[in-house]
Amino acid sequence: MENICGEQLRKNLRENLRRFRTEAHYSQQEIAQWLGINRATYTYYETGKTTPGVVDLYQLSQLYHRTMEEFFR
């Protein structure tokens, strides 16, 4: 299995959060409401200022019908 450094994983996560959201035609506000967080917090997830917790990632994986691993590829 390929060894990917932490920074690459964080970059992949940021990019995939945005890509999966836009492919599903959701706004940041809609996703934030669905997760029960404010839009600014969700924006921080997509920009890498903060990292979503495992519960939020799990909920997003269910919403987008993706595995959690796909967020990091």
Side-chain angles (χ1 to χ4, degrees):
M1 188 161 159
E2 182 180 341
N3 184 15
I4 302 174
C5 73
E7 185 52 42
Q8 185 63 50
L9 289 172
R10 286 186 285 278
K11 179 179 184 271
N12 293 351
L13 176 60
R14 290 190 306 264
E15 291 173 356
N16 287 325
L17 284 170
R18 182 174 186 86
R19 182 169 62 92
F20 296 161
R21 177 181 58 77
T22 57
E23 286 176 358
H25 305 288
Y26 288 115
S27 68
Q28 288 183 337
Q29 182 64 41
E30 289 170 318
I31 295 300
Q33 287 175 331
W34 193 78
L35 291 173
I37 60 177
N38 65 47
R39 189 199 54 77
T41 300
Y42 183 78
T43 300
Y44 289 167
Y45 292 170
E46 286 191 5
T47 60
K49 278 187 128 176
T50 59
T51 302
V54 68
V55 172
D56 286 347
L57 279 177
Y58 177 77
Q59 289 179 318
L60 291 169
S61 74
Q62 298 299 296
L63 177 66
Y64 300 140
H65 304 286
R66 306 273 186 162
T67 65
M68 289 178 64
E69 184 179 351
E70 288 178 86
F71 285 88
F72 298 96
R73 287 189 197 149

